Amino acid sequence: MRLDKYLTQLNIGSRSQVKDLIKKGLVTVNGQTEKSPERKIDEMIDVIICQGQTLSYQDKVYYMFHKPAGCVSATEDRRDITVIDFLKKENRKDIFPVGRLDKDTEGLLIITNDGDLAHRLLSPVKHVEKCYLARLAHKITQDEILRIEQGLDIGEEKTTRPARFAWHTEADRDSDTPEALLTITEGKYHQVKRMFRAVGNEVTYLKRLSMGSLTLDERLKPGEYRPLTDIELETLKGELYASRKTGDSI
């Protein structure tokens, strides 16, 4: 990788700014002052120091993002703001959201450049659990809940896999506009909304709370993000890379 590109990816400055730093002799490579922005380096081996600070390059990055309503789960869009627009200061051109949340849906979204991890999270055979908080337009009966939990027809080739329903609070049992927690192991288009619609209800608010072992950090406000902790990443990878039999119940 070129030295100037490396410094730019680490948010040391814009391409022109880092070139200026290099030409001023403020960057060393393996203890030697380097004044050529075009210098090729091995970012995983070479020791790069800029203005007295030893730099460390991350090949793979993992962010927990609290997606707000109103933005789209894409890397670029001509009409709408994207989730990647919120991470512009990271100056990474290779990151992308893992899966999609509807434009009006809030909650947990993982943003990374690790294609293998993303594939495993989204793979149907992994049955990764995803928990959503859904506010409903009106009351829901126990029979309707049972249909949702057993799996139902939402217009796909196959019925949905068994799901897990829970009230958000005890007060929701008698509320005219209750909130429920629904855990699913699939990711069909508009799946949660379509499942409730299939039993005659409508979702008026939707928020993803968790994905696999990863739970949305309550301290993150909509539009905010942070890197995954080592423990979060280790636990998530342990879950995804462990062998699991297909057909396991939820």
Side-chain angles (χ1 to χ4, degrees):
M1 182 185 298
R2 282 174 49 130
L3 180 58
D4 56 350
K5 181 180 179 181
Y6 172 77
L7 295 176
T8 300
Q9 288 193 353
L10 291 181
N11 297 317
I12 301 301
S14 64
R15 185 65 69 91
S16 60
Q17 289 172 330
V18 300
K19 283 183 177 180
D20 188 51
L21 290 173
I22 295 169
K23 290 177 179 179
K24 287 181 178 179
L26 298 177
V27 179
T28 65
V29 178
N30 299 326
Q32 301 295 319
T33 299
E34 179 57 63
K35 293 190 175 183
S36 172
E38 294 82 13
R39 163 73 184 270
K40 295 289 186 179
I41 63 164
D42 185 330
E43 63 274 12
M44 306 305 296
I45 298 176
D46 293 331
V47 178
I48 315 299
I49 298 177
C50 180
Q51 300 183 93
Q53 177 184 1
T54 302
L55 305 178
S56 176
Y57 180 77
Q58 287 183 293
D59 180 31
K60 301 297 184 184
V61 292
Y62 308 87
Y63 300 105
M64 174 189 294
F65 177 60
H66 186 166
K67 179 192 175 299
C71 64
V72 295
S73 301
T75 55
E76 58 183 22
D77 192 278
R78 293 182 178 180
R79 296 179 301 176
D80 297 304
I81 186 172
T82 73
V83 295
I84 300 301
D85 289 328
F86 288 87
L87 283 79
K88 280 186 175 179
K89 73 174 186 178
E90 298 303 326
N91 201 29
R92 301 284 306 217
K93 305 297 184 183
D94 55 349
I95 56 176
F96 54 86
V98 179
R100 293 178 178 272
L101 288 178
D102 298 342
K103 184 177 178 180
D104 62 349
T105 299
E106 300 181 10
L108 174 65
L109 196 62
I110 299 171
I111 295 179
T112 184
N113 60 349
D114 188 338
D116 185 58
L117 180 134
H119 171 73
R120 290 172 182 269
L121 269 170
L122 301 175
S123 173
V125 301
K126 286 293 181 180
H127 306 314
V128 174
E129 292 190 355
K130 294 169 279 288
C131 180
Y132 294 83
L133 169 65
R135 184 177 302 135
L136 306 179
H138 53 78
K139 290 183 177 182
I140 185 169
T141 68
Q142 193 59 41
D143 286 342
E144 292 166 346
I145 293 173
L146 183 60
R147 289 177 58 197
I148 287 174
E149 290 186 322
Q150 292 179 336
L152 71 173
D153 183 3
I154 60 171
E156 299 280 343
E157 183 178 346
K158 296 181 179 180
T159 59
T160 59
R161 285 180 53 79
R164 188 164 61 244
F165 179 99
W167 298 110
H168 186 212
T169 68
E170 280 300 311
D172 286 303
R173 290 179 181 273
D174 300 314
S175 173
D176 290 331
T177 55
E179 291 186 347
L181 301 175
L182 188 68
T183 301
I184 62 176
T185 57
E186 302 170 285
K188 299 181 187 298
Y189 181 69
H190 293 328
Q191 181 169 343
V192 174
K193 296 176 181 177
R194 292 165 68 193
M195 288 175 73
F196 282 107
R197 190 174 298 134
V199 296
N201 217 315
E202 291 291 333
V203 173
T204 61
Y205 171 80
L206 189 62
K207 179 179 182 179
R208 184 157 67 192
L209 302 180
S210 65
M211 192 171 186
S213 61
L214 194 62
T215 299
L216 180 64
D217 190 334
E218 295 180 352
R219 296 168 296 182
L220 289 178
K221 298 177 182 178
E224 294 182 342
Y225 67 95
R226 66 164 174 79
L228 296 190
T229 67
D230 290 341
I231 293 178
E232 287 171 337
L233 184 57
E234 181 180 346
T235 303
L236 184 63
K237 284 188 173 183
E239 173 187 17
L240 296 176
Y241 287 80
S243 61
R244 183 176 183 178
K245 296 179 182 179
T246 58
D248 287 351
S249 60
I250 187 171

